[in-house]
């Protein structure tokens, strides 16, 4: 690959980015998060594209922003009161250039085709970074699991899969979990797929370990985000041991981020949900995080209950964790949860390493604050790739009818996070600073763009 030649001037690059984005916004109006995600990638890779005649001729950027297909469907189910409910379901099959479509399902009332397009687009580059052969996709529904009974969640999953099964398969498209979709939902989805198709295969990842799931898949995203932070800190001769950390969210990614931070000797001060933040200056220790795991995955409760269970902790309704001073921050809830003012507060209070467990949790203005302050900033598509990487291992495990031990998966996960970090440094180093955004985007993009050129105009 050729890195930017000096002949490509910055102003020329900027104007190409502007005209590309203008066309995109015109083509896909109103899809704000999708525009945001594309702009970040296009800013990073435009110099590489302008310097590569084959990429220009093949119109790689213009093709990468249009999904292979967008599947949209009605999901009809009956709630516990006997009322008929109607939801919108989607699967965005973004790119299968380097492998079957791969990416999670999100069940949340905010889900739209545009929101899923941003996630599917990010997934293409993230999956490419993992070094495993996976294309990119994302799906979900505007179903809100909050307050729903187990039986309602099961009926919804069955209704959702009754349409989705037409479009997926172990060598076609392999969904997994995301917000609102964890082990319970994947189990119900898999059961319905099996009933409809009579097939037992690796069509979904994040399955229970007793029916083909990989060891360590639930832990993988959170553990991976901490391994990525460790790699970033190592570039400054440091580690997470003895550091204070803030974590947002209290779902799958947040819980296992805290678990790994504790194991490596850090002290975690916060967790949150859409209702507010809990601050525990004594640290959310291993016993407390076990309690949170039970709260969130067995009782489906709210994080405010933590402050009742542990009275030394404080609950801050309606607040995010970012004004609590810390060394390390792990945004692990949702997109755009760190705005510029939050980023300034974090940096001013001494935070110097941000590892994103969530997808696109920092606004572009917040990223500018982190990078201007020269802190270690690991964007989601690199830092949270451990989850889909272990999903990729689960796919190979299912295809080969074999099983890996927990230690084997953990070793692979650490190796993959290290290799993602190395690639970010390789493509993102600028004198004594690593721009992990640029590094991740260029490393993820080149592999996919080369595959596109090599496969012809299709
Ligand atoms: P969960 O559903 O397990 O947990 C989500 C957490 O984030 C909950 O605490 C939830 O609070 C909070 N949250 C969700 N939406 C909002 C919102 N709009 N405002 C404030 N808080 C919110 O999801 P995951 O932990 O799996 O996912 C978290 C993030 O990590 C997402 O960005 C996801 O895309 C990303 N991710 C997940 C991977 C995985 O393997 N699961 C892999 C890579 C990235 P509440 O209960 O109040 O809604
Ligand atoms: O955003 C993500 O990478 C995920 N939700 C995990 C996707 C997967 O296929 O494991």
């Amino acid at each position: 690959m050729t890195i930017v030649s000096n002949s490509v001037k910055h102003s020329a690059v900027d104007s190409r980015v502007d005209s590309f984005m203008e066309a995109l916004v015109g083509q896909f109006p109103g899809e704000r998060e999708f525009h945001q995600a594309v702009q970040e990638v296009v800013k990073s890779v435009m110099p590489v594209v302008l310097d590569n005649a084959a990429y220009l001729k093949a119109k790689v950027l213009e093709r990468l922003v249009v999904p292979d297909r967008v599947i949209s469907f009605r999901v009809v189910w009956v709630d516990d009161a006997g009322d008929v409910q109607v939801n919108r379901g989607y699967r965005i099959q973004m790119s299968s250039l380097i492998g079957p479509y791969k990416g999670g399902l999100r069940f949340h009332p905010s889900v739209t085709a545009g929101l899923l397009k941003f996630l599917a687009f990010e997934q293409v580059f993230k999956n490419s970074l993992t070094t495993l052969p996976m294309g990119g996709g994302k799906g979900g529904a505007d179903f809100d699991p909050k307050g729903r009974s187990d039986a309602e969640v099961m009926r919804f999953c069955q209704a959702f899969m009754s349409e989705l099964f037409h479009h997926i398969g172990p060598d076609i498209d392999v969904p997994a979990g995301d917000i609102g979709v964890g082990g319970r939902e994947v189990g119900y989805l898999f059961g319905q797929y099996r009933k409809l198709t009579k097939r037992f295969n690796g069509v979904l990842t994040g399955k229970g370990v007793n029916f083909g799931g990989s060891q360590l898949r639930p832990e993988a995203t959170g553990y991976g985000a901490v391994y990525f932070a460790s790699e970033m800190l190592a570039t400054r001769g440091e580690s997470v041991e003895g550091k204070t950390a803030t974590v947002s969210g209290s779902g799958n990614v947040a819980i296992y981020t805290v678990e790994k931070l504790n194991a490596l000797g850090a002290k975690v001060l916060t967790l949150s949900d859409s209702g507010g933040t809990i601050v525990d200056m004594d640290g959310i220790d291993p016993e407390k995080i076990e309690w949170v795991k039970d709260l969130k995955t067995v009782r489906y409760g709210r994080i405010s209950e933590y402050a009742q269970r542990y009275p030394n902790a404080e609950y801050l309704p309606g607040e995010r964790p970012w004004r609590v001073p810390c060394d390390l921050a792990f945004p692990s809830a949702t997109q755009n949860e760190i705005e510029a003012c939050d980023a300034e507060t974090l940096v001013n209070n001494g935070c110097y390493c941000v590892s994103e467990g969530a997808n696109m949790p920092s606004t572009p203005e917040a990223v500018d604050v982190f990078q201007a302050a020269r802190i270690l900033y690991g964007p989601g598509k690199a830092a949270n790739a451990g989850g889909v990487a272990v999903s990729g291992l689960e796919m190979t495990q299912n295809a080969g009818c074999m099983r890996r031990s927990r230690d084997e998966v953990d070793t692979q996960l650490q190796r993959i996070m290290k290799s993602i970090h190395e690639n970010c440094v390789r493509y993102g180093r600028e004198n004594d600073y690593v721009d992990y955004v640029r590094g991740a985007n260029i490393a993820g993009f080149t592999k996919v763009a080369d595959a596109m050129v090599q496969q012809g105009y299709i």
Side-chain angles (χ1 to χ4, degrees):
M1 195 211 82
T2 336
I3 310 252
V4 199
S5 85
N6 290 334
S7 64
V8 180
K9 294 214 167 48
H10 272 299
S11 57
V13 172
D14 290 345
S15 67
R16 288 296 283 260
V17 171
D18 290 348
S19 58
F20 186 88
M21 287 310 301
E22 213 172 293
L24 183 95
V25 172
Q27 200 180 358
F28 304 111
E31 298 180 345
R32 202 174 50 85
E33 292 91 354
F34 180 55
H35 304 158
Q36 182 182 334
V38 172
Q39 171 134 20
E40 186 216 270
V41 171
V42 170
K43 269 169 76 177
S44 297
V45 306
M46 188 61 89
V48 178
V49 172
L50 294 181
D51 215 35
N52 186 312
Y55 290 173
L56 282 171
K57 183 164 166 35
K59 291 209 162 57
V60 284
L61 278 181
E62 289 80 351
R63 287 161 69 189
L64 276 174
V65 296
V66 183
D68 286 357
R69 65 194 63 78
V70 175
I71 298 152
S72 164
F73 51 96
R74 180 179 64 239
V75 186
V76 179
W77 57 287
V78 180
D79 68 17
D80 286 348
D83 291 331
V84 174
Q85 297 285 340
V86 186
N87 286 97
R88 300 283 307 267
Y90 308 91
R91 185 71 182 167
I92 315 288
Q93 298 183 330
M94 199 75 196
S95 166
S96 61
L97 279 161
I98 63 167
Y101 305 105
K102 181 81 196 89
L105 297 171
R106 178 175 291 192
F107 291 169
H108 193 271
S110 64
V111 163
T112 60
L115 184 91
L116 295 175
K117 255 170 76 181
F118 118 64
L119 291 160
F121 182 77
E122 289 274 294
Q123 199 81 46
V124 172
F125 304 97
K126 184 197 302 191
N127 293 3
S128 165
L129 278 173
T130 63
T131 72
L132 302 172
M134 297 181 288
K138 201 87 186 189
D142 60 358
F143 170 68
D144 188 357
K146 276 197 204 78
R148 291 293 180 190
S149 70
D150 194 58
E152 288 178 315
V153 169
M154 182 174 71
R155 286 198 296 278
F156 178 81
C157 289
Q158 291 170 343
F160 182 82
M161 184 52 86
S162 295
E163 174 61 31
L164 186 69
F165 89 101
H166 292 297
H167 312 287
I168 60 176
D171 56 359
I172 302 172
D173 183 350
V174 183
D178 192 79
I179 290 177
V181 179
R184 172 180 65 161
E185 291 74 19
V186 170
Y188 294 148
L189 292 163
F190 185 73
Q192 183 72 354
Y193 173 85
R194 206 171 46 72
K195 183 175 171 75
L196 292 167
T197 63
K198 298 184 281 177
R199 293 202 162 91
F200 188 105
N201 58 35
V203 68
L204 290 158
T205 59
K207 302 182 293 297
V209 283
N210 52 352
F211 54 96
S214 172
Q215 294 285 350
L216 223 72
R217 176 61 190 88
E219 293 88 341
T221 310
Y223 281 19
V226 178
Y227 292 149
F228 196 82
S230 302
E231 292 293 330
M232 290 197 289
L233 288 163
T235 64
R236 298 190 180 177
E238 294 193 34
S239 74
V240 303
E241 190 178 355
K243 304 294 187 312
T244 53
T246 49
V247 176
S248 66
S250 47
N252 170 268
V253 178
I255 286 171
Y256 291 104
T257 295
V258 177
E259 189 169 281
K260 183 52 76 179
L261 283 166
N262 280 334
L264 296 181
K267 183 174 177 183
V268 182
L269 307 177
T270 65
L271 281 171
S272 68
D273 61 21
S274 54
T277 293
I278 57 103
V279 183
D280 186 344
M281 297 311 285
D282 297 338
I284 302 168
D285 64 24
E287 180 259 313
K288 293 172 182 171
I289 201 65
E290 282 305 315
W291 183 86
V292 175
K293 231 184 255 181
D294 182 71
L295 173 77
K296 287 289 175 175
T297 61
V298 179
R299 293 188 283 125
Y300 294 93
R302 309 301 299 156
I303 202 62
S304 55
E305 294 171 44
Y306 184 101
Q308 291 151 24
R309 175 70 179 78
Y310 301 105
N312 276 352
E314 194 185 354
Y315 178 61
L316 309 172
E319 288 211 29
R320 297 166 179 167
W322 313 128
R323 68 184 173 86
V324 176
C326 61
D327 301 310
L328 323 172
F330 292 84
S332 311
T334 195
Q335 62 277 354
N336 293 329
E337 56 168 315
I338 300 186
E339 297 175 61
C341 55
D342 303 313
E344 276 159 17
T345 308
L346 278 164
V347 169
N348 290 339
N349 283 338
C351 174
Y352 63 97
C353 176
V354 177
S355 186
E356 295 185 339
N359 284 308
M360 208 170 73
S362 307
T363 64
E365 297 76 22
V367 176
D368 288 345
V369 171
F370 293 144
Q371 294 194 324
R374 293 299 210 231
I375 72 162
L376 298 166
Y377 167 67
K381 67 168 75 69
N384 73 37
V388 75
V390 172
S391 278
L393 298 178
E394 184 171 325
M395 286 165 71
T396 61
Q397 178 172 295
N398 294 161
C401 295
M402 41 83 80
R403 300 175 67 93
R404 288 190 188 85
S405 71
R406 204 179 150 85
D407 282 351
E408 280 173 302
V409 178
D410 199 20
T411 304
Q412 293 288 334
L413 174 61
Q414 291 186 49
R415 181 188 60 76
I416 290 169
M417 297 316 294
K418 201 177 174 60
S419 124
I420 295 173
H421 182 268
E422 278 166 8
N423 265 315
C424 289
V425 173
R426 178 168 167 221
Y427 292 105
R429 183 179 284 292
E430 288 168 357
N431 304 318
D432 59 348
Y433 184 65
V434 179
D435 180 341
Y436 287 91
V437 176
R438 184 161 158 266
N441 285 335
I442 296 179
F445 168 79
T446 346
K447 194 165 138 190
V448 176
D450 288 344
M452 186 178 265
V453 169
Q454 287 157 17
Q455 290 178 33
Y457 307 144
I458 42 165

